[in-house]
Amino acid sequence: MTTTDTHTDLTTDVANPTVSTEVRLALYRQVVRIRRFEERAYKLFMQGLVKGTSHLSLGMEAVAAGFAVAQRADDYTFCTYRGHAHTLARGTPMPGVMGELLGRATGVCGGKGGSMHLTSAEHGVMGSYAIIGAHLVIANGAAWSSKERNSGQVTVCFFGDGATNIGAFHEALNFAKIWELPIVFVCENNLWMEYTSIHDVTAVEHPAADRAAAYGLDSIIVDGNDPEAVYDVARRAVDRARAGAGPSLVEAKTYRHGGHSRADPGDYRPQEEVDTWLARDPMPNYRQRLVDLGVEESALVAIEDDAMTDVDAATEDAKAAPAPDSQAAFTNVWADGGYSWRNS
Amino acid sequence: MAEQLITYREAIARGIAQEMRRDDSVYLIGEDVAAAGGVFKGTKGLLDEFGPSRVRDTPISEEAILGAAMGAAMTGLKPIAEIMFSDFLATCWDLVAVEIPKTRYMTDGQFTVPLVIRTANGAGLRFGAQHSQAVENWAMMIPGLKVVAPSNPKDLIGLMAAAVRDPDPVIFFESKQLYPTKGLVPDGEIVDELGTAAVLREGTDVTIVALANMVPKAVEAAEVLAQRGISAELIDLRCLVPLDTATVLASVKKTSRLVTVEENPRLCGWGAEVVSIVAEEAIWHIDGPLTRVTTPHLPLPSADNLEDAVLPSVQRIVDACVKAVH
């Protein structure tokens, strides 16, 4: 695969002529829906309606959007505890996601998962894993299975920059390559490993891409704030995997507008850095590019209105939904539906 | 029906082969399981019969092994993954304790994880503290894992079949001390049931509950006790989860005395759980101290006499039973 190193030029303004208007609108729709959902989730958290903790991807929407649009409906997605975006992008209905955040019976996991553990098997969302980096090895298993079953499914596995320093990252990449698995590993490098700069704790500049060669993989860096650039890389990596040419590792450079979790204001970050990245906000920038490319503004407004309508409806649905039956706490440890560990 | 005398080691390959022939979705992966036939030769011949896709060597990457097994189990395969020594479960503990067992619950049943983790467990081969621990207690305390530990070749095959066919994740502890031991195994397919203990010997004076490589020692102890006029009932638990409490409770209600025999370090062993269940639910039937025979709470040494000094012995089991009875 061609290396796409846009590290020195993160603001791509040359539109890719191979991307259709239909795809462009699909990308914009994803970005807007995720943005509006995440803004609402934050508001609901501050109102005490979302419990526990939550990790938003405000500013990082283009990565989820670009890959989801490039994936086939039956492909697999593994994501992290910062997984609202990826879960929605694969088509999981918004009321189920919002219901799970609010701990309602209508939630995708019936209230047993919460913000950090969204899953929708029906939409190929194979789980949101809250132990940093743990899921890279699990994603390999889904890719192995699809290869053995000749199903043509591709697995896309998202993780943060912080995950690149755990052992499972290295075990997973080596394993995926020697078994030539149909998988794409996507590092969402938002520059901050929780509250610490990834550069302060990592021996190389690009935590994923600079290590790719160690596992026989190409070094691929993409502007993670540009939905089209992500889509372009995603399409090639996914196609390559589907064709039996093995795994890829993509490092998408992006930035979270807020802090690590919950009410963290992220004020440990230099203001200049924050300002630089806010200026690269994927939503207004991509909108402007679409207008410059001649997309009708009315089509964009319709997408924006639809997103807001869906978020409002999902919020009302979740607020009105009942709490799970307390008996549900005792179900589904075992495949028989129960939790008994003894026979008398 | 015809029977064959085979080793515990040979029973592993036979049990796995039985299930791989029956079900194309059963795969075996692990370090040295294919061409080498396993470091304990438990998987000898499987590569020849089933080929390199279904019997596959992995790097020394325990997290990658169990991760692959888990992801595959979520998506249609039924992997049997070997972790060479049970001590090494500690290197992939996130998968064992957090990812594999909790997935069904956290997703409210959207995914189930039908896999088997095979591993060589326990002491007796002078390997020292990092290759000799009995760690079945680690697994027993995690909600969502089934825990199996057979004591003989026939049970090994039948319980392997049950484990592979079970829709939930199973950890299958093979006792490395038992690999060369032999037992009679009937011809044909053998399928057992998880969560069923076996009463190996009926008795009236004391119930001995043992597991895996403690079972042959308990058998010897029961014979010594018989010579001394003490009638011991011997239960081979075979599984820790599900736990066959019905068989244990019925036995102690008959004998009024209980001795558990486990290889684990003293604290928090499964024997403590069995004792506590009996104390809570059958105390009015008990006439003597509920007694546990365990390894002392220490790591395992390597030299012959040192390792022998800390492992439960026939004599210690006999002494515990005598104490319980008198």
Side-chain angles (χ1 to χ4, degrees):
Chain A
M1 183 183 294
T2 316
T3 299
T4 310
D5 190 343
T6 55
H7 178 57
T8 53
D9 179 18
L10 287 166
T11 48
T12 310
D13 57 9
V14 181
N16 186 332
T18 67
V19 179
S20 67
T21 301
E22 190 188 352
V23 166
R24 289 190 167 125
L25 291 177
L27 290 167
Y28 186 65
R29 183 186 311 279
Q30 292 280 11
V31 169
V32 173
R33 280 173 62 82
I34 296 165
R35 172 67 55 96
R36 295 294 176 236
F37 179 91
E38 293 278 68
E39 287 168 345
R40 182 61 55 84
Y42 180 75
K43 193 172 160 196
L44 293 170
F45 192 95
M46 297 314 275
Q47 290 172 357
L49 285 166
V50 176
K51 305 291 172 53
T53 188
S54 66
H55 305 77
L56 304 179
S57 347
L58 288 165
M60 299 167 59
E61 300 89 347
V63 188
F67 273 89
V69 173
Q71 280 182 275
R72 206 168 80 180
D74 64 342
D75 284 344
Y76 296 132
T77 294
F78 286 78
C79 54
T80 74
Y81 55 91
R82 197 183 300 284
H84 305 166
H86 304 294
T87 304
L88 289 169
R90 290 302 312 277
T92 310
M94 216 178 258
V97 180
M98 195 65 94
E100 191 62 31
L101 263 57
L102 268 63
R104 308 296 169 156
T106 52
V108 285
C109 300
K112 285 181 181 167
S115 167
M116 290 201 284
H117 303 297
L118 300 173
T119 302
S120 182
E122 190 188 340
H123 301 92
V125 181
M126 307 299 286
S128 313
Y129 295 81
I131 306 289
I132 304 284
H135 59 303
L136 279 74
V137 293
I138 304 166
N140 271 343
W144 171 42
S145 160
S146 59
K147 187 174 179 176
E148 290 299 323
R149 290 182 284 108
N150 288 315
S151 67
Q153 292 161 289
V154 171
T155 296
V156 175
C157 178
F158 297 94
F159 54 96
D161 42 280
T164 63
N165 287 322
I166 82 155
F169 168 82
H170 301 274
E171 290 196 20
L173 287 171
N174 182 59
F175 194 97
K177 180 59 186 171
I178 59 171
W179 286 26
E180 289 293 358
L181 298 178
I183 186 165
V184 184
F185 295 103
V186 186
C187 174
E188 297 179 287
N189 181 1
N190 62 23
L191 310 185
W192 290 86
M193 182 205 71
E194 299 196 6
Y195 301 82
T196 301
S197 164
I198 189 66
H199 295 302
D200 290 348
V201 293
T202 307
V204 292
E205 187 186 356
H206 300 109
D210 288 352
R211 286 147 162 172
Y215 302 104
L217 301 171
D218 294 334
S219 176
I220 304 167
I221 298 175
V222 65
D223 178 356
N225 277 21
D226 179 342
E228 270 179 44
V230 174
Y231 169 75
D232 193 42
V233 165
R235 195 177 44 170
R236 283 185 284 146
V238 167
D239 287 353
R240 173 195 165 105
R242 207 176 321 275
S248 298
L249 170 63
V250 174
E251 179 169 333
K253 300 205 71 168
T254 184
Y255 203 72
R256 53 171 151 82
H257 287 179
H260 167 63
S261 64
R262 209 177 153 180
D264 166 26
D267 54 13
Y268 39 84
R269 304 178 301 181
Q271 193 55 48
E272 190 188 352
E273 178 186 288
V274 175
D275 292 343
T276 302
W277 281 92
L278 283 174
R280 292 175 184 162
D281 185 338
M283 198 167 81
N285 282 324
Y286 194 50
R287 189 185 203 281
Q288 187 58 50
R289 189 189 314 164
L290 295 181
V291 170
D292 293 346
L293 285 165
V295 174
E296 289 290 333
E297 186 127 15
S298 60
L300 304 177
V301 170
I303 285 171
E304 291 152 9
D305 289 348
D306 282 353
M308 195 49 100
T309 302
D310 286 354
V311 170
D312 286 341
T315 305
E316 293 314 308
D317 186 275
K319 282 181 175 172
D325 185 319
S326 59
Q327 283 305 306
F330 305 96
T331 63
N332 268 326
V333 171
W334 305 120
D336 69 8
Y339 75 106
S340 178
W341 52 272
R342 56 183 285 190
N343 69 353
S344 66
Chain B
M1 187 183 279
E3 289 184 316
Q4 262 191 308
L5 193 63
I6 67 169
T7 61
Y8 188 90
R9 179 195 321 280
E10 289 162 340
I12 298 164
R14 182 163 152 191
I16 294 170
Q18 173 186 301
E19 294 309 297
M20 291 186 76
R21 281 179 208 127
R22 182 187 61 83
D23 182 348
D24 288 345
S25 67
V26 179
Y27 284 69
L28 173 68
I29 62 170
E31 298 160 19
D32 299 325
V33 297
V39 288
F40 293 107
K41 301 301 168 202
T43 56
K44 212 172 152 187
L46 295 175
L47 174 66
D48 290 341
E49 180 174 355
F50 300 103
S53 299
R54 291 181 67 198
V55 178
R56 197 151 178 184
D57 286 329
T58 63
I60 301 177
S61 302
E62 278 82 6
E63 288 188 76
I65 295 167
L66 291 194
M70 174 177 163
M74 290 166 72
T75 55
L77 304 191
K78 288 179 188 145
I80 302 171
E82 177 178 315
I83 297 299
M84 195 182 278
F85 286 75
S86 63
D87 314 69
F88 308 165
L89 289 169
T91 67
C92 46
W93 197 237
D94 174 53
L95 273 301
V96 177
V98 181
E99 310 297 343
I100 290 169
K102 294 183 168 64
T103 289
R104 182 175 180 87
Y105 187 79
M106 287 169 52
T107 65
D108 202 24
Q110 291 183 66
F111 286 108
T112 196
V113 188
L115 59 79
V116 179
I117 303 170
R118 291 177 46 229
T119 191
N121 192 45
L125 301 186
R126 321 315 192 192
F127 286 155
Q130 297 188 348
H131 286 68
S132 301
Q133 300 168 93
V135 303
E136 65 269 17
N137 294 316
W138 293 359
M140 186 189 191
M141 63 178 69
I142 299 165
L145 287 182
K146 291 180 178 172
V147 183
V148 181
S151 70
N152 62 76
K154 179 170 175 281
D155 283 1
L156 193 150
I157 297 168
L159 292 171
M160 177 66 74
V164 170
R165 297 178 193 198
D166 197 275
D168 294 308
V170 179
I171 298 202
F172 199 93
F173 289 98
E174 297 162 10
S175 278
K176 55 176 98 76
Q177 208 176 4
L178 296 178
Y179 282 133
T181 62
K182 291 183 178 177
L184 281 172
V185 171
D187 290 342
E189 191 179 79
I190 306 173
V191 185
D192 214 321
E193 193 183 341
L194 301 185
T196 52
V199 180
L200 298 186
R201 179 186 182 116
E202 297 207 8
T204 52
D205 297 332
V206 58
T207 296
I208 305 175
V209 176
L211 185 79
N213 58 335
M214 293 297 106
V215 171
K217 290 189 181 187
V219 168
E220 268 190 68
E223 281 161 11
V224 173
L225 289 164
Q227 287 160 16
R228 294 170 64 169
I230 296 172
S231 167
E233 178 146 307
L234 173 56
I235 295 173
D236 177 354
L237 272 186
R238 308 195 319 150
C239 288
L240 294 179
V241 181
L243 188 64
D244 184 355
T245 45
T247 296
V248 173
L249 288 165
S251 180
V252 295
K253 284 174 186 172
K254 182 172 77 171
T255 65
S256 304
R257 289 161 179 111
L258 173 68
V259 173
T260 62
V261 187
E262 55 183 317
E263 191 182 309
N264 314 285
R266 183 71 184 175
L267 298 188
C268 304
W270 58 256
E273 186 62 45
V274 170
V275 162
S276 119
I277 289 166
V278 169
E280 205 168 351
E281 300 173 29
I283 195 69
W284 306 114
H285 298 271
I286 298 299
D287 288 333
L290 303 166
T291 306
R292 294 171 61 208
V293 178
T294 69
T295 306
H297 199 67
L298 42 69
L300 287 165
S302 173
D304 286 349
N305 64 323
L306 297 182
E307 195 179 52
D308 289 345
V310 300
L311 294 177
S313 61
V314 173
Q315 188 59 51
R316 280 176 59 200
I317 301 168
V318 169
D319 291 347
C321 291
V322 170
K323 186 177 153 199
V325 171
H326 295 300

